[in-house]
Amino acid sequence: MTRYPLRDRIAVTAALAAPLLVALLLVPFRGSLSSTNMALVLVVVVVAVAAAGNRVAGALTALSAAAWFDFFLTRPYQSFTINRADDVETTVLLLAVGVAVSQLAARARRLEVLVVTDAEHLARIHDTAELAQSTTAADTVVDHVKQQLTELLQLRGCRFEYGSLLGHPPRLEQNGSVTVGRRRWDIDRRGWPQEEIELRAIGNGRYQGRFMLTPSPGAHPSLQARLVAVTLADQAGTALDTAGPGTSQE
């Protein structure tokens, strides 16, 4: 589990422990509270753990809640046997609702992450466009984009080559895919190719140069990040095209 984020590891631990603790707290009240009300309390636990963790944690919490509800809060107590049909129905509904709600809570967490990520990507694009409009030195934009690409794509290094293309290195394409020779490279599964990758800078339809990306071992940048990288490279290409030949060499 050490390869998972600390937040998810804590959530999985809570998935196993929290329903048990809450069920034990409800034991003194099982004579006065209905089975439905006690099940609803456990559903709240499921939602809380799923929102803090992930789908696995949410599903584990739902299973744990249903098991401990059966064991402590339905007759005969301290047994996984249920005698009343109503309690069987409540247990099944607790499990079903718990699983469904946990998936929704986990999805909400994922969408929150995506929104934050989108905002960061838009900020990179906006800042680069603003810089390109405020400076006449294309080199400034190129240097800025090199830094942005290094952070965005988790690179060990990034340099820019002006002029004609040399060799046939792996290439980050306009659609965010990576090709090695004539074959597509499965970057999502395999990570970056372990050699420099070419990202061409196109300005107003004309080739201006290329960023040479030095990947970090084990990095798996998302398609979204790669598409933003292509956009940033093209912003640098546009700045170079607008500045005219020679300006970027100052």
Side-chain angles (χ1 to χ4, degrees):
M1 284 182 59
T2 55
R3 61 195 175 108
Y4 295 103
L6 178 61
R7 177 177 176 177
D8 289 344
R9 283 182 274 152
I10 292 174
V12 169
T13 302
L16 300 175
L20 172 59
L21 294 175
V22 173
L24 288 172
L25 291 173
L26 289 172
V27 167
F29 306 99
R30 61 192 178 189
S32 57
L33 290 176
S34 67
S35 295
T36 302
N37 287 336
M38 290 187 290
L40 287 175
V41 173
L42 288 169
V43 167
V44 172
V45 177
V46 175
V47 173
V49 173
N54 53 26
R55 284 183 170 84
V56 174
L60 282 175
T61 311
L63 289 169
S64 180
W68 295 125
F69 174 79
D70 178 5
F71 190 80
F72 288 112
L73 305 177
T74 65
R75 296 179 185 275
Y77 301 130
Q78 283 76 59
S79 170
F80 288 110
T81 301
I82 304 177
N83 291 337
R84 297 173 52 194
D86 287 347
D87 287 341
V88 173
E89 182 179 335
T90 302
T91 302
V92 172
L93 287 174
L94 169 60
L95 178 60
V97 171
V99 170
V101 171
S102 73
Q103 303 309 298
L104 291 173
R107 177 175 173 79
R109 176 193 167 189
R110 179 174 177 273
L111 289 175
E112 179 186 357
V113 172
L114 286 177
V115 169
V116 172
T117 303
D118 286 344
E120 291 176 353
H121 289 344
L122 287 173
R124 292 183 189 276
I125 294 171
H126 175 268
D127 290 348
T128 304
E130 194 172 60
L131 177 63
Q133 292 174 358
S134 63
T135 183
T136 56
D139 266 348
T140 302
V141 180
V142 170
D143 290 340
H144 174 79
V145 170
K146 285 194 295 185
Q147 179 181 352
Q148 294 295 310
L149 292 176
T150 300
E151 296 173 0
L152 178 65
L153 301 177
Q154 305 168 52
L155 304 174
R156 286 196 293 117
C158 179
R159 61 189 178 86
F160 189 78
E161 289 185 351
Y162 299 95
S164 59
L165 298 168
L166 295 174
H168 301 282
R171 182 190 307 167
L172 176 55
E173 304 284 0
Q174 291 289 305
N175 62 2
S177 65
V178 175
T179 56
V180 178
R182 296 183 178 180
R183 294 181 299 175
R184 175 171 292 192
W185 179 269
D186 189 351
I187 186 172
D188 294 321
R189 184 173 62 86
R190 303 173 66 182
W192 288 115
Q194 290 307 300
E195 54 186 300
E196 280 194 319
I197 297 111
E198 169 189 280
L199 172 57
R200 297 182 181 181
I202 308 297
N204 299 318
R206 291 186 287 272
Y207 170 76
Q208 303 295 329
R210 61 183 180 179
F211 293 92
M212 300 302 295
L213 317 175
T214 304
S216 296
H220 292 72
S222 66
L223 174 60
Q224 187 181 43
R226 301 193 307 265
L227 289 171
V228 172
V230 170
T231 301
L232 294 173
D234 285 348
Q235 285 180 309
T238 300
L240 288 166
D241 183 70
T242 303
T247 306
S248 60
Q249 304 283 352
E250 296 176 0

